[in-house]
């Protein structure tokens, strides 16, 4: 059995997954979003990339400008704390390197269609024969056995097929739109990271390795329908789907004298106090707003009244007044404002780091705090095949 290569990191990983060995054959967004969670938590992640074609490596390397022409902004965010090696596993010598890595790996994760992986000799049964204890995670587009099981999946396709893109049509009455975020990829990536850790926990409890399939369509539909199944939850259903509050067209930041503000009075006291502060003390005498159930039915009218009230003061005036009265509110930030948000500055969320290859760049701290096993950014996103020689040499190739 080949020994897992002893990797040299820029700093020592300290997170709760330190010592977990991951072979990462995932590309683009969904898979790398899962594996960067594992890497941030201290797992030793070796990223496998194919150098064939005109755009070698992970396609996200080439999306957007970068100083190296290999570190597109999304790639840089999703591939820190990883080592990189180029392998063309159609070649016997590169196939042997991957097999050697898998012998001692704890996790093998990829988003290649399973039929293709089986043709290449790295389906679950073949990998299990190499390492019976491995957790094999397949990030699929659609669950096996379903009508779409062999199709490709991308964020836009999943937003459309899950009904998520229909929310904007229901809210605004216009044509459906995609959310301006790779939300289906990232949500499914979080499912994949969670599933990987659950399977590792089961293995630690004596249940051995296993095959884990993470189907993007099902994961994102589950995420989306938690609140939006709504009137079709109980049978027979009402036909009304979409949580009434979240699909209301007036659910948006409210205008103030100088900008916008987000306000969410949630209990009866907060609602009554808000309208009292706004000079409308009689609003809650209206039976449409007197109880939580009635407010839910008449959300649109309630939001319209809020817009009238908020327009009478500046954002800062409202923030001070609402804070004094314990009513939840936040300033509306445009994206550039987030970079200087005082809370994020206090917790050092955005970090400016310097790499000998990339120069200065901005990254984000892992958002979860672990008191006993603190999480750190311990390695810069790698160049193509940056660690190929080191890994091959350590494996005896």
């Amino acid at each position: 059995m080949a020994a897992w290569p002893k990797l040299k990191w820029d700093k020592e990983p300290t997170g709760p997954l330190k010592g977990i060995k991951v072979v990462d054959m995932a590309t683009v967004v969904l898979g790398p979003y899962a594996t960067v969670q594992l890497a941030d938590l201290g797992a030793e992640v070796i990223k496998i990339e194919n150098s064939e074609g005109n755009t070698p490596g992970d396609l996200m390397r080439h999306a957007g400008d970068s100083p190296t022409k290999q570190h597109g902004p999304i790639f840089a965010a999703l591939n820190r704390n990883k080592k990189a090696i180029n392998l063309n596993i159609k070649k016997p010598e590169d196939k042997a390197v991957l097999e050697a890595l898998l012998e001692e790996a704890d996790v093998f994760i990829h988003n290649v269609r399973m039929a293709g992986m089986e043709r290449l000799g790295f389906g679950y049964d073949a990998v299990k024969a190499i390492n019976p204890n491995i957790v094999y995670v397949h990030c699929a587009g659609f669950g096996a056995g379903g009508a779409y099981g062999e199709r490709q999946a991308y964020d836009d396709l999943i937003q459309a097929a899950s009904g998520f893109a229909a929310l904007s049509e229901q809210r605004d009455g216009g044509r459906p739109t995609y959310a301006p975020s790779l939300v289906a990829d990232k949500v499914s990536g979080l499912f994949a990271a969670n599933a990987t850790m659950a399977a590792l926990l089961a293995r630690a409890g004596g249940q051995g390795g296993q095959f884990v399939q993470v189907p993007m369509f099902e994961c994102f539909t589950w995420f989306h329908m938690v609140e939006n199944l709504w009137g079709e939850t109980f049978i027979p259903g009402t036909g009304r789907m979409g949580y009434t509050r979240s699909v209301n067209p007036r659910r948006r930041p409210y205008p103030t004298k100088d900008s916008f503000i987000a306000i969410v009075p949630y209990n009866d006291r907060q609602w009554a106090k808000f309208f009292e502060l706004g000079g409308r003390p009689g609003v809650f005498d209206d039976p449409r707003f007197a109880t939580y159930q009635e407010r839910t039915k008449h959300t649109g009218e309630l939001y319209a009244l809020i817009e009238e009230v908020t327009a009478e003061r500046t954002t800062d005036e409202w923030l001070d007044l609402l804070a004094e009265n314990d009513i939840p509110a936040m300033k509306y930030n445009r994206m550039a404002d987030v970079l200087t948000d005082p809370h994020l500055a206090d917790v050092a969320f955005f970090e400016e780091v310097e790499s000998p290859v990339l120069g200065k760049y901005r990254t984000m701290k892992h958002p979860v705090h672990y008191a006993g096993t603190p999480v750190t950014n311990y390695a810069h996103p790698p160049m193509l095949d940056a660690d190929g020689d080191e890994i091959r040499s350590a494996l005896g190739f």
Side-chain angles (χ1 to χ4, degrees):
M1 177 180 285
W4 179 267
K6 186 166 178 58
L7 303 174
K8 297 173 186 173
W9 300 98
D10 300 341
K11 301 176 188 174
E12 184 66 19
T14 55
L17 294 185
K18 183 178 179 180
I20 295 294
K21 305 172 182 70
V22 179
V23 176
D24 173 13
M25 212 166 162
T27 60
V28 192
V29 173
L30 190 166
Y33 196 78
T35 53
V36 79
Q37 310 298 320
L38 308 177
D40 278 5
L41 296 177
E44 295 187 353
V45 177
I46 295 179
K47 183 178 179 68
I48 311 292
E49 295 179 86
N50 192 336
S51 57
E52 285 188 313
N54 296 325
T55 51
D58 190 327
L59 282 175
M60 282 294 109
R61 284 188 178 276
H62 312 286
D65 295 331
S66 76
T68 64
K69 309 301 181 189
Q70 289 190 18
H71 291 85
I74 299 172
F75 179 90
L78 295 182
N79 291 283
R80 67 189 184 196
N81 299 337
K82 300 177 185 179
K83 296 286 189 179
I85 182 173
N86 284 359
L87 296 177
N88 180 355
I89 57 176
K90 294 176 185 175
K91 296 179 178 179
E93 60 270 28
D94 282 1
K95 183 175 182 179
V97 172
L98 180 54
E99 288 172 342
L101 285 172
L102 291 171
E103 284 182 25
E104 284 197 3
D106 298 294
V107 176
F108 180 42
I109 182 168
H110 69 83
N111 57 348
V112 182
R113 282 188 284 180
M114 190 54 74
M117 287 301 283
E118 287 171 347
R119 285 194 299 271
L120 291 166
F122 291 97
Y124 175 61
D125 288 338
V127 171
K128 183 181 177 183
I130 296 169
N131 180 350
N133 248 346
I134 202 161
V135 171
Y136 186 116
V137 182
H138 180 217
C139 300
F142 305 91
Y148 310 146
E150 300 302 316
R151 294 189 185 185
Q152 297 182 69
Y154 293 96
D155 194 280
D156 292 4
L157 306 183
I158 299 303
Q159 285 199 41
S162 66
F164 189 78
L167 288 172
S168 58
E169 179 186 24
Q170 182 175 348
R171 181 190 62 197
D172 303 324
R175 59 177 288 178
T177 59
Y178 299 127
S181 168
L182 301 178
V183 62
D185 275 327
K186 291 182 288 184
V187 164
S188 302
L190 288 173
F191 269 96
N194 183 61
T196 302
M197 289 186 277
L200 286 170
L201 185 62
R203 192 185 70 167
Q207 298 182 56
Q210 62 178 296
F211 176 73
V212 178
Q213 185 189 65
V214 184
M216 189 179 181
F217 183 40
E218 288 94 313
C219 287
F220 189 67
T221 302
W222 193 98
F223 165 85
H224 156 50
M225 287 294 183
V226 164
E227 75 275 26
N228 291 316
L229 193 57
W230 197 240
E232 284 298 311
T233 299
F234 304 107
I235 300 170
T238 65
R240 294 190 297 274
M241 297 181 71
Y243 178 33
T244 53
R245 191 178 82 83
S246 59
V247 298
N248 191 287
R250 292 185 179 274
R251 183 186 176 236
R252 56 193 178 186
Y254 303 114
T256 63
K257 272 188 174 180
D258 58 351
S259 182
F260 295 90
I261 191 171
I263 306 175
V264 184
Y266 222 75
N267 58 41
D268 289 355
R269 183 201 67 79
Q270 290 172 343
W271 276 112
K273 189 64 179 176
F274 169 75
F275 283 113
E276 180 186 321
L277 294 170
R280 308 283 184 94
V283 165
F284 268 44
D285 296 334
D286 188 323
R288 294 176 300 167
F289 310 132
T291 66
Y292 179 81
Q293 290 79 8
E294 288 303 312
R295 288 197 296 276
T296 302
K297 293 177 186 176
H298 300 282
T299 302
E301 297 100 309
L302 189 60
Y303 287 171
L305 284 172
I306 296 175
E307 287 194 0
E308 293 177 14
V309 171
T310 57
E312 296 173 5
R313 287 187 172 94
T314 67
T315 296
D316 285 342
E317 287 170 342
W318 272 120
L319 289 171
D320 290 342
L321 193 59
L322 295 170
E324 289 169 12
N325 288 276
D326 195 31
I327 297 173
M330 287 295 292
K331 176 190 172 189
Y332 163 73
N333 279 335
R334 290 184 170 84
M335 282 201 284
D337 299 330
V338 178
L339 299 179
T340 56
D341 182 273
H343 175 86
L344 296 178
D346 288 344
V347 299
F349 178 76
F350 290 107
E351 297 179 323
E352 288 189 12
V353 295
E354 190 160 4
S355 152
V357 175
L358 280 170
K360 279 190 177 180
Y361 67 98
R362 183 181 283 112
T363 188
M364 294 171 282
K365 268 198 337 190
H366 190 82
V368 181
H369 299 269
Y370 297 82
T373 52
V375 175
T376 56
N377 290 341
Y378 51 89
H380 300 293
M383 295 284 286
L384 264 170
D385 203 36
D387 310 289
D389 289 345
E390 176 193 355
I391 292 168
R392 285 183 172 86
S393 176
L395 290 169
F397 289 89

